[in-house]
Amino acid sequence: MRTRTLTLAAAAVGTALLAAAALPAGAAPVQAPEGTVTAADLLAEMTSCSQISNGKYSLDVGAPATVPVCGLNGAVFWKADMDIDCDGQVTTECNKRTDPWFQDQTAFHQSDGRPLNSEELPYVVVPGPSGIWNYTDSGIRGGSVAAVIHGDEVQYAVVGDTGPTKIIGEASYAAARALGINPDPATGGAASGVTYIVFTGSRVSPIEDQEATASLGEALAEQFLEDNGEATDQ
């Protein structure tokens, strides 16, 4: 989970822009599944916000609170930046040397009891419960399925960690890499343009089963379009 300051984040943005096209050596992008639901399809249902949070979130420490959590049929969503969560298991790309904020735990664990592997598992981070919003009240828990959108790319992921109670906009190293975002935990991420959709009442078990996440994510996305398209047409 990130607790970086606004100053640090701003400095990282400049570096990220220079390095955005160059992923770390040896890091083969985790490919998003080829499905029938496109980024444009999903974004078309999120042109307005029916706010369900009691307030708004900041993108970084010290930044103004501008990001609401919005509700639709079968999902919640928010539009934010992407900080890189490299927490959990110690790996080549995620450790105390590569990540100034590294923690060897995640809020939710694999089926074998170990923390998640941020380098391998696409997951999103939800804010810790607070008076602004409690994700559990929206039918979300560890393993809930999410669709993360950046540009024309959609990557299905799970809810894998919790972050600060007043900050939003974070996903794992693997999720960023799959979306073509520089996943470096110190200098990477995206300054804006990332949409997070979490499908309420959903869950993948075991949480680390990426094939199940991709399959269920595509099915939930199709149902999401059907349910909200009908609501829009009425």
Side-chain angles (χ1 to χ4, degrees):
M1 63 187 70
R2 297 281 74 80
T3 56
R4 70 180 69 184
T5 65
L6 180 60
T7 301
L8 286 172
V13 167
T15 306
L17 290 175
L18 293 174
L23 299 181
V30 178
Q31 296 298 319
E34 293 185 4
T36 59
V37 178
T38 68
D41 291 334
L42 293 171
L43 292 174
E45 302 300 334
M46 291 176 283
T47 56
S48 62
C49 173
S50 176
Q51 184 171 329
I52 63 168
S53 56
N54 294 322
K56 297 182 180 180
Y57 289 95
S58 301
L59 297 180
D60 295 288
V61 174
T66 59
V67 181
V69 176
C70 312
L72 283 169
N73 292 330
V76 302
F77 74 90
W78 56 91
K79 298 182 179 183
D81 62 351
M82 182 184 286
D83 289 335
I84 308 301
D85 188 326
C86 225
D87 294 340
Q89 296 180 36
V90 175
T91 67
T92 302
E93 301 295 343
C94 293
N95 53 67
K96 290 183 178 180
R97 177 183 58 81
T98 61
D99 181 2
W101 305 276
F102 180 77
Q103 299 178 44
D104 62 2
Q105 289 293 327
T106 51
F108 307 107
H109 288 184
Q110 295 181 166
S111 55
D112 61 5
R114 293 191 297 165
L116 302 183
N117 185 328
S118 177
E119 187 177 337
E120 295 184 358
L121 181 67
Y123 68 74
V124 301
V125 180
V126 293
S130 72
I132 301 175
W133 179 55
N134 186 334
Y135 63 89
T136 63
D137 292 341
S138 295
I140 295 169
R141 51 186 169 169
S144 288
V145 180
V148 190
I149 303 170
H150 181 253
D152 295 330
E153 299 295 327
V154 179
Q155 175 64 37
Y156 295 109
V158 290
V159 172
D161 203 0
T162 58
T165 58
K166 295 182 180 180
I167 297 175
I168 205 165
E170 188 176 359
S172 70
Y173 183 105
R177 183 176 58 183
L179 290 165
I181 295 171
N182 183 350
D184 188 290
T187 62
S192 62
V194 182
T195 300
Y196 302 79
I197 309 169
V198 183
F199 300 106
T200 56
S202 65
R203 190 185 187 194
V204 170
S205 183
I207 194 172
E208 67 268 24
D209 189 337
Q210 295 188 48
E211 186 174 341
T213 298
S215 177
L216 181 56
E218 182 72 18
L220 289 168
E222 291 176 352
Q223 187 65 49
F224 170 82
L225 292 178
E226 181 179 335
D227 292 346
N228 289 282
E230 289 177 353
T232 302
D233 293 341
Q234 291 177 355

